[in-house]
Amino acid sequence: DSGVTQTPKHLITATGQRVTLRCSPRSGDLSVYWYQQSLDQGLQFLIQYYNGEERAKGNILERFSAQQFPDLHSELNLSSLELGDSALYFCASSVGRGGDLAKNIQYFGAGTRLSVL
Amino acid sequence: QKEVEQDPGPLSVPEGAIVSLNCTYSNSAFQYFMWYRQYSRKGPELLMYTYSSGNKEDGRFTAQVDKSSKYISLFIRDSQPSDSATYLCAMADRAGTASKLTFGTGTRLQVTL
């Protein structure tokens, strides 16, 4: 168990809908990362938050947004869902301090499997 | 062309074999290299990480980085059926608070009895 908790485990929804994925980082971790894993693209970085602030952005669609709350949990919001958004969505967390790699190792949750029908 | 290339496999080996998994990359700014293992329907778990070029050993696992060739490897000695999983290489250009990981697509490994 990595200590990163993601809910729900599975989501089945229809095109055009909006969903929210939730992530609780490991105790003491300030950074949260979101990744999308699909069969053809592999794991793709979406966005990172550090202590409530957005720090890095990857190939995240405008229909997707995220935030990190004062208690450090994070939510990824996906709207106007399309069939192609069906994927595994992973959250990872790290301590996120300084330039020491050991403090920035990312630990992954078990993921949320999203199916858009 | 992807920044990180990894042979998707599947790679099937008998129990006890030495396994070699590899990734190549194009971004010369990458200096932190990681290997993750992912079992079916689970999240990736970190196996090893290295900084810059060289070798690192941890039990049955050895990670090698050759920055001049932009090539990294993971060797698994005495492979076991429990090693059957997808192995993902990952890289970053910095270790700090903005360190997004760039992953290979993963190599699926099957260790047979």
Side-chain angles (χ1 to χ4, degrees):
Chain A
D1 185 358
S2 67
V4 179
T5 304
Q6 288 189 249
T7 56
K9 285 188 169 39
H10 303 280
L11 258 181
I12 301 175
T13 187
T15 55
Q17 295 299 304
R18 174 190 166 93
V19 297
T20 297
L21 282 55
R22 183 187 168 101
C23 170
S24 293
R26 296 186 320 156
S27 177
D29 284 0
L30 298 177
S31 269
V32 170
Y33 309 77
W34 286 97
Y35 292 85
Q36 179 192 58
Q37 187 176 40
S38 58
L39 279 173
D40 56 341
Q41 292 291 322
L43 260 169
Q44 300 281 311
F45 169 74
L46 295 178
I47 197 163
Q48 179 208 358
Y49 279 83
Y50 174 76
N51 204 19
E53 293 186 5
E54 183 185 303
R55 279 303 178 98
K57 221 167 184 176
N59 299 323
I60 187 167
L61 299 172
E62 284 191 15
R63 300 183 285 109
F64 296 1
S65 64
Q67 54 183 330
Q68 187 179 26
F69 295 86
D71 67 352
L72 301 177
H73 91 271
S74 178
E75 292 181 356
L76 179 67
N77 299 296
L78 314 176
S79 61
S80 302
L81 285 167
E82 302 175 359
L83 295 177
D85 297 326
S86 297
L88 271 168
Y89 290 84
F90 287 103
C91 168
S93 74
S94 70
V95 174
R97 284 198 190 91
D100 184 347
L101 179 60
K103 290 188 174 63
N104 290 284
I105 293 298
Q106 295 181 28
Y107 295 90
F108 283 76
T112 293
R113 183 175 296 277
L114 174 66
S115 297
V116 182
L117 305 178
Chain B
Q1 188 184 358
K2 294 183 178 181
E3 276 188 293
V4 180
E5 298 281 356
Q6 187 175 8
D7 188 334
L11 178 62
S12 183
V13 301
E15 183 179 9
I18 296 175
V19 176
S20 172
L21 303 165
N22 312 295
C23 289
T24 59
Y25 63 95
S26 57
N27 187 346
S28 56
F30 288 146
Q31 51 183 329
Y32 299 96
F33 305 92
M34 286 136 277
W35 286 95
Y36 282 82
R37 177 175 63 194
Q38 186 176 20
Y39 291 112
S40 181
R41 298 186 177 275
K42 301 284 189 183
E45 60 172 321
L46 181 69
L47 274 177
M48 298 186 71
Y49 64 90
T50 57
Y51 169 67
S52 197
S53 284
N55 294 359
K56 185 175 181 179
E57 191 172 317
D58 184 2
R60 296 185 296 112
F61 298 91
T62 299
Q64 282 186 355
V65 174
D66 182 348
K67 288 190 71 180
S68 62
S69 302
K70 297 191 180 70
Y71 188 88
I72 70 170
S73 301
L74 177 71
F75 296 97
I76 307 174
R77 289 183 298 281
D78 188 25
S79 55
Q80 304 294 311
S82 58
D83 295 328
S84 299
T86 296
Y87 289 78
L88 302 154
C89 62
M91 307 177 188
D93 59 3
R94 70 195 81 181
T97 54
S99 55
K100 74 177 182 84
L101 294 178
T102 301
F103 281 86
T105 48
T107 299
R108 194 154 55 92
L109 172 67
Q110 181 73 37
V111 181
T112 57
L113 290 169

